[in-house]
Amino acid sequence: MSNGLDISVSQMEGRVPVSVLHITGQVDASNAGDLETRASEVIEAGAKDVLLDLAKVDYMASAGFRALHVIYNSLHGGVPQVGEAKAPHLQILGASDDVRKIFKTLGFDAYLNIHDDLREAVDSF
Amino acid sequence: MAHPEPHKQILRRTGLFSAASDDVLAQVAEHIETVKVGTGETLFQKGDTGDALYVIFDGHVRIHDGELTLKRLGPGEMFGEIGAFSEDARSASVTADSDTSLLKLRKQSLQNLLTNRPEAATDIISTLCRTIGNRVQEIADDTRQIAALEHELEIGRKIQADFLPDTLPEIAGWSIAAHFQAAREVAGDYYDVFLTPDGRKLALVIGDVCGKGVGAALFMTLFRSLIRATATAENFDNTGRFLSFLTSESNPAQLAECVTFTNSYMSRTHGRSSMFSTLFFALLDPTDGTLHYVNAGHEAPFVLRADGSRDRLETTGPVVGIMPGAVYQCGTTILNPGDMLFGYTDGVSDAVNAAGDLFTEERLQLQLESNTGNVGELVANVRQAVDDYSQDASQFDDITMLAVHRN
């Protein structure tokens, strides 16, 4: 299994500035830490709103979903509370059908929104 | 070319020239080149041909093999000496941690020195021998540390084995089989099979903590224990009467309560660790086959019906441990004579072959078609199919299966 994870960052403007992390590869236990580190660098550099572009992620293991929760906690200052509005500062873009299915199974769709369109995703912040 | 006195002092500190006469040192200093390397710049790569030795004049470098840092060196320390005296390729890469000034002595200059000033050779040879001796010592120390860590992991593995049932309950009219194989010494998967305190119902648990290794294993012990504790604990009700979450009259709400309590405790106490568990927790009444279950984000177990049809026990709530306030519904099905419940973790469906392709749920379903009602045989068949598929690829994830058949 490939352990390479390519993460590039771009900036977009919606109602607020949005940092977009474009992720390519398979996210698993061997590289989920790289995703956490990259997101943490972006957040430490001042990003308040983050969009994770998963369009080129063809597999995401549980360690990758853990990374999403870690990033959520960094951006919102705590764990997601059921019943609250879904993550206002973290949005997901373009998850494949397979990845989307795991989102649903794990119940991560209870606190994270998945978008299909980049512009719509950026404007959702 | 005149070289400043500090260069000579640094050279003398390396040992290679510690006892060299001023005369020899002056000759060496004449052949010294100063090299500057910027922060993050790589001086040479593992596999490059060695052409010189280096002494750090100012700054710091990192000796590394890919991402693995082997050693950090600072002013007065020497590296690359083996490559400078032999034909061997560089055994590691060197990258500057800060802006660094290096004194470089080329292979040719060293060879000239040894030819022209044989008296310098004694020091050089004795320093090289000491360097090699130190490396052997370092390797011995590392090996001892690795052995100690492996010993600790082995202790961890034994302790963790105590968190899994050593025997499965025997219930008349039912057969049960389980399979558990950790990808590493310790695992994030778990399963449990036990009778409720009144001995009248059978609790079935299968779960998977995110990630792998020690972190997942520590959390596995917590999740598994909280489920076992809530399912078997006796509590006081508001009139002071003893009761347990699960009683012989247990209803679906009580089953969900065990999971809700576990989620509440874990997400409020440890939620910031982001360590979650998928969990399938069911309570079987062996007298009539009624199965109440909570599926918290777990791969939907199969119910293989006697007539060859299949049902899936889909999720009734999210994963446990990271979302306070999550709501868990309870599902119900009946296991009739000839029906089998088959639960598994994603180590089965996500097993990979050498090409990196997944075993997939489709291949699992194909294997389930071989079901003849023998739980041990079915579990072994699935395991064999996963092994045949993976072949030489190392087991990437923990693999757990639990099968319960009504005879």
Side-chain angles (χ1 to χ4, degrees):
Chain A
M1 179 169 285
S2 162
N3 292 336
L5 196 61
D6 181 59
I7 305 170
S8 64
V9 182
S10 66
Q11 295 297 325
M12 291 197 65
E13 285 297 324
R15 281 176 293 186
V16 292
V18 176
S19 299
V20 190
L21 270 67
H22 308 273
I23 304 154
T24 306
Q26 300 184 327
V27 189
D28 59 37
S30 73
N31 59 28
D34 299 344
L35 173 56
E36 286 174 36
T37 304
R38 195 74 191 89
S40 153
E41 287 166 1
V42 168
I43 294 165
E44 273 171 31
K48 299 268 187 292
D49 293 280
V50 172
L51 175 63
L52 297 180
D53 175 4
L54 302 184
K56 290 179 181 162
V57 172
D58 51 10
Y59 173 77
M60 188 137 104
S62 60
F65 282 91
R66 175 176 180 269
L68 300 189
H69 192 264
V70 169
I71 296 167
Y72 175 98
N73 292 347
S74 299
L75 285 165
H76 298 84
V79 299
Q81 305 280 334
V82 172
E84 287 185 358
K86 288 190 189 182
H89 301 296
L90 176 64
Q91 306 284 337
I92 309 295
L93 173 67
S96 69
D97 286 348
D98 284 346
V99 172
R100 204 179 276 253
K101 192 175 154 209
I102 310 174
F103 257 92
K104 193 166 180 337
T105 300
L106 299 179
F108 272 52
D109 57 348
Y111 74 98
L112 290 172
N113 277 313
I114 306 176
H115 304 268
D116 292 319
D117 179 70
L118 174 64
R119 192 68 248 171
E120 177 223 316
V122 169
D123 288 339
S124 72
F125 285 95
Chain B
M1 185 199 250
H3 282 271
E5 194 60 23
H7 283 195
K8 285 191 197 169
Q9 289 174 11
I10 285 274
L11 284 173
R12 207 180 272 293
R13 271 169 59 188
T14 62
L16 210 53
F17 307 106
S18 59
S21 64
D22 284 347
D23 195 22
V24 166
L25 212 55
Q27 191 179 343
V28 173
E30 266 186 37
H31 292 93
I32 285 287
E33 297 166 43
T34 307
V35 178
K36 294 207 181 290
V37 197
T39 307
E41 200 179 321
T42 297
L43 181 66
F44 57 74
Q45 297 270 14
K46 178 181 178 177
D48 287 354
T49 306
D51 63 342
L53 69 77
Y54 297 86
V55 178
I56 301 172
F57 185 68
D58 187 30
H60 292 83
V61 302
R62 180 165 64 93
I63 316 285
H64 61 100
D65 186 351
E67 294 295 310
L68 179 68
T69 296
L70 305 170
K71 208 168 191 181
R72 289 180 196 278
L73 299 176
E77 294 189 284
M78 177 175 66
F79 60 89
E81 62 275 28
I82 305 283
F85 283 100
S86 73
E87 301 303 317
D88 294 350
R90 296 292 191 193
S91 57
S93 307
V94 176
T95 300
D97 273 345
S98 58
D99 289 345
T100 299
S101 299
L102 299 163
L103 308 186
K104 177 177 181 177
L105 193 54
R106 288 182 185 275
K107 184 181 268 185
Q108 192 57 51
S109 305
L110 277 165
Q111 282 168 354
N112 291 343
L113 178 73
L114 290 175
T115 308
N116 301 332
R117 306 299 294 256
E119 71 272 24
T122 314
D123 277 349
I124 291 175
I125 290 167
S126 94
T127 302
L128 287 177
C129 288
R130 204 179 313 126
T131 304
I132 291 164
N134 287 344
R135 299 239 169 111
V136 170
Q137 188 59 47
E138 282 168 13
I139 290 167
D141 289 347
D142 287 350
T143 307
R144 261 192 296 278
Q145 278 187 14
I146 289 167
L149 283 173
E150 281 173 350
H151 180 62
E152 290 295 315
L153 270 178
E154 178 57 20
I155 293 171
R157 193 189 64 73
K158 284 183 180 155
I159 292 173
Q160 192 179 33
D162 282 342
F163 284 85
L164 300 172
D166 49 359
T167 57
L168 298 172
E170 290 187 15
I171 313 276
W174 294 82
S175 33
I176 307 169
H179 175 83
F180 174 85
Q181 179 69 56
R184 301 180 185 173
E185 282 79 357
V186 290
D189 274 14
Y190 58 103
Y191 73 98
D192 206 357
V193 184
F194 58 94
L195 289 167
T196 51
D198 59 18
R200 293 164 67 170
K201 292 205 175 153
L202 187 67
L204 304 163
V205 179
I206 186 164
D208 181 2
V209 176
C210 61
K212 281 184 251 305
V214 174
L218 286 170
F219 274 84
M220 163 273 184
T221 59
L222 264 172
F223 282 112
R224 177 272 184 196
S225 298
L226 281 166
I227 288 296
R228 175 76 88 113
T230 52
T232 57
E234 290 184 326
N235 300 283
F236 293 104
D237 70 4
N238 54 13
T239 65
R241 194 169 58 97
F242 261 131
L243 77 169
S244 56
F245 274 132
L246 299 179
T247 63
S248 53
E249 299 80 35
S250 67
N251 57 45
Q254 287 174 321
L255 183 67
E257 194 58 32
C258 295
V259 180
T260 301
F261 178 90
T262 301
N263 177 61
S264 176
Y265 175 81
M266 290 302 291
S267 55
R268 288 180 210 287
T269 314
H270 301 291
R272 291 201 69 126
S273 302
S274 299
M275 294 296 285
F276 62 83
S277 176
T278 70
L279 170 70
F280 177 79
F281 177 33
L283 207 58
L284 174 69
D285 185 338
T287 61
D288 63 3
T290 304
L291 185 89
H292 294 307
Y293 64 90
V294 171
N295 182 347
H298 194 79
E299 307 273 349
F302 291 91
V303 179
L304 310 175
R305 300 292 182 192
D307 65 3
S309 64
R310 279 176 211 171
D311 291 327
R312 302 292 298 266
L313 306 183
E314 300 291 345
T315 54
T316 61
V319 293
V320 180
I322 54 169
M323 284 177 252
V327 176
Y328 298 92
Q329 307 292 337
C330 187
T332 302
T333 190
I334 307 283
L335 298 180
N336 289 306
D339 289 351
M340 187 192 291
L341 171 72
F342 181 88
Y344 66 102
T345 57
D346 61 5
V348 176
S349 49
D350 290 4
V352 289
N353 63 12
D357 297 324
L358 301 177
F359 184 72
T360 69
E361 197 179 279
E362 286 68 32
R363 284 195 180 80
L364 169 61
Q365 298 220 35
L366 275 177
Q367 285 305 310
L368 295 181
E369 284 175 10
S370 73
N371 173 32
T372 59
N374 182 327
V375 282
E377 186 183 276
L378 183 64
V379 164
N381 284 351
V382 173
R383 177 67 220 215
Q384 188 61 49
V386 169
D387 286 346
D388 289 347
Y389 182 79
S390 306
Q391 292 199 341
D392 294 336
S394 63
Q395 186 186 330
F396 191 69
D397 201 356
D398 310 325
I399 290 178
T400 306
M401 288 178 266
L402 180 61
V404 179
H405 182 257
R406 185 172 181 187
N407 302 331

Tab-separated table of all heavy atoms in Angstrom, chain B residues 332-361:
chain	number	residue	atom	x	y	z
B	332	THR	N	-33.470	-4.657	16.340
B	332	THR	CA	-33.847	-6.001	16.769
B	332	THR	C	-33.976	-6.918	15.550
B	332	THR	O	-34.478	-6.499	14.513
B	332	THR	CB	-35.204	-5.966	17.506
B	332	THR	OG1	-35.105	-5.081	18.623
B	332	THR	CG2	-35.580	-7.365	18.018
B	333	THR	N	-33.492	-8.122	15.702
B	333	THR	CA	-33.728	-9.149	14.682
B	333	THR	C	-33.910	-10.475	15.415
B	333	THR	O	-33.657	-10.559	16.616
B	333	THR	CB	-32.579	-9.213	13.656
B	333	THR	OG1	-32.971	-10.064	12.577
B	333	THR	CG2	-31.299	-9.751	14.263
B	334	ILE	N	-34.361	-11.468	14.693
B	334	ILE	CA	-34.525	-12.801	15.295
B	334	ILE	C	-33.598	-13.765	14.573
B	334	ILE	O	-33.556	-13.778	13.337
B	334	ILE	CB	-35.973	-13.327	15.131
B	334	ILE	CG1	-36.999	-12.320	15.654
B	334	ILE	CG2	-36.135	-14.688	15.817
B	334	ILE	CD1	-37.139	-12.255	17.142
B	335	LEU	N	-32.804	-14.513	15.338
B	335	LEU	CA	-32.006	-15.582	14.749
B	335	LEU	C	-32.810	-16.872	14.876
B	335	LEU	O	-32.970	-17.409	15.967
B	335	LEU	CB	-30.651	-15.704	15.437
B	335	LEU	CG	-29.718	-14.488	15.346
B	335	LEU	CD1	-28.409	-14.765	16.072
B	335	LEU	CD2	-29.453	-14.106	13.899
B	336	ASN	N	-33.339	-17.329	13.746
B	336	ASN	CA	-34.131	-18.568	13.728
B	336	ASN	C	-33.186	-19.755	13.548
B	336	ASN	O	-32.020	-19.573	13.174
B	336	ASN	CB	-35.149	-18.504	12.581
B	336	ASN	CG	-36.244	-17.498	12.885
B	336	ASN	OD1	-36.884	-17.569	13.933
B	336	ASN	ND2	-36.422	-16.538	11.980
B	337	PRO	N	-33.664	-20.960	13.804
B	337	PRO	CA	-32.808	-22.137	13.611
B	337	PRO	C	-32.187	-22.130	12.212
B	337	PRO	O	-32.879	-21.892	11.216
B	337	PRO	CB	-33.778	-23.311	13.802
B	337	PRO	CG	-34.796	-22.778	14.763
B	337	PRO	CD	-34.981	-21.337	14.380
B	338	GLY	N	-30.847	-22.343	12.159
B	338	GLY	CA	-30.133	-22.350	10.884
B	338	GLY	C	-29.568	-20.996	10.507
B	338	GLY	O	-28.790	-20.881	9.555
B	339	ASP	N	-29.936	-19.921	11.226
B	339	ASP	CA	-29.419	-18.576	10.929
B	339	ASP	C	-28.062	-18.381	11.608
B	339	ASP	O	-27.798	-18.951	12.665
B	339	ASP	CB	-30.376	-17.495	11.456
B	339	ASP	CG	-31.667	-17.422	10.644
B	339	ASP	OD1	-31.742	-18.090	9.587
B	339	ASP	OD2	-32.581	-16.696	11.075
B	340	MET	N	-27.241	-17.538	10.987
B	340	MET	CA	-25.930	-17.238	11.583
B	340	MET	C	-25.664	-15.726	11.574
B	340	MET	O	-25.913	-15.052	10.579
B	340	MET	CB	-24.814	-17.931	10.805
B	340	MET	CG	-23.451	-17.796	11.490
B	340	MET	SD	-22.072	-18.287	10.446
B	340	MET	CE	-22.294	-20.031	10.325
B	341	LEU	N	-25.155	-15.237	12.703
B	341	LEU	CA	-24.701	-13.849	12.772
B	341	LEU	C	-23.196	-13.849	12.493
B	341	LEU	O	-22.451	-14.631	13.104
B	341	LEU	CB	-24.973	-13.290	14.177
B	341	LEU	CG	-24.368	-11.912	14.481
B	341	LEU	CD1	-25.108	-10.811	13.723
B	341	LEU	CD2	-24.423	-11.619	15.986
B	342	PHE	N	-22.751	-13.004	11.568
B	342	PHE	CA	-21.318	-12.937	11.247
B	342	PHE	C	-20.861	-11.478	11.348
B	342	PHE	O	-21.243	-10.634	10.536
B	342	PHE	CB	-21.063	-13.480	9.832
B	342	PHE	CG	-19.605	-13.456	9.436
B	342	PHE	CD1	-18.767	-14.521	9.740
B	342	PHE	CD2	-19.071	-12.353	8.780
B	342	PHE	CE1	-17.421	-14.484	9.389
B	342	PHE	CE2	-17.724	-12.308	8.424
B	342	PHE	CZ	-16.897	-13.373	8.728
B	343	GLY	N	-20.048	-11.196	12.379
B	343	GLY	CA	-19.498	-9.843	12.552
B	343	GLY	C	-18.010	-9.850	12.234
B	343	GLY	O	-17.337	-10.864	12.418
B	344	TYR	N	-17.497	-8.722	11.754
B	344	TYR	CA	-16.075	-8.660	11.382
B	344	TYR	C	-15.585	-7.223	11.508
B	344	TYR	O	-16.385	-6.287	11.630
B	344	TYR	CB	-15.890	-9.168	9.947
B	344	TYR	CG	-16.542	-8.282	8.899
B	344	TYR	CD1	-15.773	-7.400	8.134
B	344	TYR	CD2	-17.921	-8.291	8.701
B	344	TYR	CE1	-16.368	-6.566	7.200
B	344	TYR	CE2	-18.515	-7.457	7.771
B	344	TYR	CZ	-17.734	-6.600	7.015
B	344	TYR	OH	-18.323	-5.764	6.096
B	345	THR	N	-14.263	-7.064	11.489
B	345	THR	CA	-13.697	-5.718	11.458
B	345	THR	C	-13.103	-5.458	10.072
B	345	THR	O	-12.917	-6.388	9.280
B	345	THR	CB	-12.594	-5.537	12.520
B	345	THR	OG1	-11.580	-6.515	12.302
B	345	THR	CG2	-13.157	-5.684	13.924
B	346	ASP	N	-12.783	-4.191	9.788
B	346	ASP	CA	-12.369	-3.847	8.418
B	346	ASP	C	-10.984	-4.382	8.062
B	346	ASP	O	-10.542	-4.227	6.921
B	346	ASP	CB	-12.471	-2.338	8.169
B	346	ASP	CG	-11.584	-1.538	9.099
B	346	ASP	OD1	-10.817	-2.151	9.871
B	346	ASP	OD2	-11.654	-0.293	9.062
B	347	GLY	N	-10.316	-5.038	9.032
B	347	GLY	CA	-9.068	-5.721	8.695
B	347	GLY	C	-9.301	-6.833	7.686
B	347	GLY	O	-8.394	-7.229	6.955
B	348	VAL	N	-10.552	-7.334	7.635
B	348	VAL	CA	-10.911	-8.369	6.658
B	348	VAL	C	-11.109	-7.723	5.285
B	348	VAL	O	-10.406	-8.043	4.326
B	348	VAL	CB	-12.199	-9.116	7.090
B	348	VAL	CG1	-12.600	-10.122	6.018
B	348	VAL	CG2	-11.989	-9.810	8.426
B	349	SER	N	-12.052	-6.777	5.205
B	349	SER	CA	-12.392	-6.188	3.901
B	349	SER	C	-11.277	-5.308	3.351
B	349	SER	O	-11.132	-5.155	2.137
B	349	SER	CB	-13.690	-5.388	4.014
B	349	SER	OG	-13.642	-4.526	5.129
B	350	ASP	N	-10.472	-4.713	4.253
B	350	ASP	CA	-9.406	-3.801	3.808
B	350	ASP	C	-8.033	-4.465	3.760
B	350	ASP	O	-7.020	-3.774	3.626
B	350	ASP	CB	-9.336	-2.568	4.727
B	350	ASP	CG	-10.547	-1.661	4.555
B	350	ASP	OD1	-11.453	-2.037	3.791
B	350	ASP	OD2	-10.599	-0.591	5.183
B	351	ALA	N	-7.986	-5.791	3.864
B	351	ALA	CA	-6.698	-6.486	3.694
B	351	ALA	C	-6.199	-6.180	2.285
B	351	ALA	O	-6.996	-6.070	1.347
B	351	ALA	CB	-6.886	-7.988	3.874
B	352	VAL	N	-4.885	-6.013	2.153
B	352	VAL	CA	-4.349	-5.626	0.839
B	352	VAL	C	-3.442	-6.724	0.283
B	352	VAL	O	-2.829	-7.474	1.036
B	352	VAL	CB	-3.551	-4.303	0.908
B	352	VAL	CG1	-4.472	-3.135	1.120
B	352	VAL	CG2	-2.482	-4.361	1.980
B	353	ASN	N	-3.366	-6.781	-1.032
B	353	ASN	CA	-2.403	-7.689	-1.661
B	353	ASN	C	-1.127	-6.899	-1.978
B	353	ASN	O	-1.019	-5.707	-1.656
B	353	ASN	CB	-2.996	-8.352	-2.907
B	353	ASN	CG	-3.343	-7.352	-3.992
B	353	ASN	OD1	-2.957	-6.186	-3.918
B	353	ASN	ND2	-4.060	-7.797	-4.997
B	354	ALA	N	-0.160	-7.591	-2.599
B	354	ALA	CA	1.132	-6.956	-2.846
B	354	ALA	C	0.988	-5.712	-3.738
B	354	ALA	O	1.783	-4.783	-3.652
B	354	ALA	CB	2.083	-7.957	-3.480
B	355	ALA	N	-0.055	-5.688	-4.575
B	355	ALA	CA	-0.254	-4.539	-5.477
B	355	ALA	C	-0.949	-3.386	-4.754
B	355	ALA	O	-1.128	-2.303	-5.338
B	355	ALA	CB	-1.071	-4.970	-6.678
B	356	GLY	N	-1.358	-3.607	-3.490
B	356	GLY	CA	-2.010	-2.543	-2.734
B	356	GLY	C	-3.518	-2.508	-2.928
B	356	GLY	O	-4.186	-1.576	-2.490
B	357	ASP	N	-4.082	-3.527	-3.602
B	357	ASP	CA	-5.534	-3.557	-3.817
B	357	ASP	C	-6.237	-4.215	-2.628
B	357	ASP	O	-5.727	-5.165	-2.040
B	357	ASP	CB	-5.859	-4.329	-5.101
B	357	ASP	CG	-5.272	-3.632	-6.325
B	357	ASP	OD1	-5.271	-2.380	-6.331
B	357	ASP	OD2	-4.787	-4.329	-7.235
B	358	LEU	N	-7.438	-3.705	-2.317
B	358	LEU	CA	-8.181	-4.185	-1.153
B	358	LEU	C	-8.879	-5.517	-1.429
B	358	LEU	O	-9.298	-5.791	-2.561
B	358	LEU	CB	-9.247	-3.148	-0.747
B	358	LEU	CG	-8.759	-1.743	-0.394
B	358	LEU	CD1	-9.947	-0.839	-0.098
B	358	LEU	CD2	-7.832	-1.777	0.804
B	359	PHE	N	-9.027	-6.327	-0.362
B	359	PHE	CA	-9.768	-7.582	-0.440
B	359	PHE	C	-11.226	-7.280	-0.793
B	359	PHE	O	-11.829	-7.976	-1.607
B	359	PHE	CB	-9.670	-8.303	0.908
B	359	PHE	CG	-10.325	-9.657	0.934
B	359	PHE	CD1	-9.765	-10.726	0.274
B	359	PHE	CD2	-11.501	-9.862	1.652
B	359	PHE	CE1	-10.364	-11.988	0.308
B	359	PHE	CE2	-12.107	-11.113	1.699
B	359	PHE	CZ	-11.536	-12.172	1.019
B	360	THR	N	-11.762	-6.253	-0.225
B	360	THR	CA	-13.121	-5.719	-0.431
B	360	THR	C	-14.218	-6.582	0.201
B	360	THR	O	-14.069	-7.777	0.412
B	360	THR	CB	-13.514	-5.508	-1.929
B	360	THR	OG1	-13.656	-6.789	-2.534
B	360	THR	CG2	-12.494	-4.662	-2.641
B	361	GLU	N	-15.322	-5.879	0.451
B	361	GLU	CA	-16.496	-6.533	1.030
B	361	GLU	C	-17.094	-7.540	0.044
B	361	GLU	O	-17.667	-8.550	0.451
B	361	GLU	CB	-17.529	-5.447	1.347
B	361	GLU	CG	-18.591	-5.890	2.300
B	361	GLU	CD	-19.551	-4.754	2.569
B	361	GLU	OE1	-19.216	-3.900	3.403
B	361	GLU	OE2	-20.621	-4.711	1.928
